[in-house]
Amino acid sequence: CSAIDACESSNGGCSSKAECRRTTPGNRACVCRAGYTGDGIVCIEINPCLVNNGGCDRNAECTQTGPDQAVCNCLKGYSGDGKTCTYISLCSQNNGGCSEFAICNDTELAERTCTCKPNYIGDGFQCRGNIFQELLRNSNTSRFYFHLETLSIRDISGPGPFTVFVPHTDILNSDPRVKDWTAKGVMAQVLRYHMVGCANLLYKDLTATTNVTSLHGDLIHISYSQNSLVLNNKAEIILSDAVGTNGVIHIINQILVP
């Protein structure tokens, strides 16, 4: 006589995910393989994500990849290996993409708001101070600022409002008359002729205006034709509506002479 191998046929009636083990002649035991659970007749995959989030961080997603196997991935707004996830503060790097003159506030996950600081205006991504400050920050107008500083002219740093017609930096650098005016002590008068007080005149406002009075006291004639604004029939506005907290800057392609 020979012993009957209970595992010889059909895995001994055990699950295909189980190991059939001979015990005594004619008997066997069914043991679920690693990664499976059950009585051996029925074996079900173990999903580690169902217990303690699979060992993942509470701010991570556990995804089953196989029997008793899973991967951990940090949720949106967090970084790490999945076992440990750290909140990503958008504001912690480069001020969250906000202006350097703005306050960045983390709101929701992967979201933030940008708000201009006091004494600045804008959308938070671009914030502007008063027009005196803005002259310096823009290379197109920085030369005009230099002349104001040299002559200690601070008229447009006040509350305003002001409208300023600024000759482009290249013009101020190349026009030989600037040196002559400086030597003769009349440069301050020329500069003030480019400023208008008590008015915040945007481009659209200027199209409906014929004359404005400068801080120098003389009139500036304004004409609008062929979609262009021209001052004193010579200087054309080439860049407009740089708005600050106390007024607006327009860049012109020639120097106005009182």
Side-chain angles (χ1 to χ4, degrees), residues 93-138:
Q93 294 185 337
N94 194 33
N95 200 31
C98 304
S99 164
E100 62 179 306
F101 306 111
I103 298 169
C104 179
N105 284 309
D106 287 296
T107 52
E108 301 174 11
L109 293 180
E111 298 289 338
R112 53 88 180 89
T113 60
C114 301
T115 307
C116 292
K117 295 178 180 178
N119 300 319
Y120 288 87
I121 60 171
D123 60 7
F125 297 98
Q126 287 189 326
C127 297
R128 296 175 296 278
N130 66 48
I131 54 177
F132 189 69
Q133 295 170 312
E134 293 306 306
L135 288 173
L136 176 61
R137 296 191 188 115
N138 188 335

Side-chain angles (χ1 to χ4, degrees), residues 28 39-40 44 76 91 95 129 131 133 138 156 162 164 177 185 214 229 239 255:
R28 55 92 178 99
D39 59 6
I44 301 172
K76 182 182 178 182
C91 295
N95 200 31
I131 54 177
Q133 295 170 312
N138 188 335
I156 57 174
F162 301 100
V164 187
R177 294 176 298 174
S214 71
L229 273 172
L239 292 170
I255 299 174

Side-chain angles (χ1 to χ4, degrees), residues 9-153:
S9 176
S10 300
N11 198 32
C14 301
S15 165
S16 62
K17 307 299 184 184
E19 178 186 355
C20 181
R21 295 177 182 174
R22 292 171 60 186
T23 53
T24 58
N27 295 306
R28 55 92 178 99
C30 298
V31 180
C32 291
R33 295 175 184 169
Y36 294 85
T37 184
D39 59 6
I41 306 299
V42 176
C43 294
I44 301 172
E45 272 191 7
I46 296 172
N47 182 353
C49 296
L50 299 179
V51 179
N52 196 30
N53 199 30
C56 303
D57 189 275
R58 64 188 182 92
N59 293 307
E61 181 182 23
C62 179
T63 304
Q64 184 184 5
T65 56
D68 204 21
Q69 294 178 328
V71 293
C72 303
N73 293 298
C74 293
L75 298 173
K76 182 182 178 182
Y78 293 85
S79 66
D81 60 5
K83 298 292 185 182
T84 303
C85 297
T86 305
Y87 175 65
I88 301 171
S89 169
L90 291 181
C91 295
S92 65
Q93 294 185 337
N94 194 33
N95 200 31
C98 304
S99 164
E100 62 179 306
F101 306 111
I103 298 169
C104 179
N105 284 309
D106 287 296
T107 52
E108 301 174 11
L109 293 180
E111 298 289 338
R112 53 88 180 89
T113 60
C114 301
T115 307
C116 292
K117 295 178 180 178
N119 300 319
Y120 288 87
I121 60 171
D123 60 7
F125 297 98
Q126 287 189 326
C127 297
R128 296 175 296 278
N130 66 48
I131 54 177
F132 189 69
Q133 295 170 312
E134 293 306 306
L135 288 173
L136 176 61
R137 296 191 188 115
N138 188 335
S139 61
N140 294 327
T141 59
S142 56
R143 190 65 182 173
F144 191 82
Y145 173 88
F146 168 78
H147 285 294
L148 293 179
E149 275 287 271
T150 301
L151 296 170
S152 299
I153 298 174

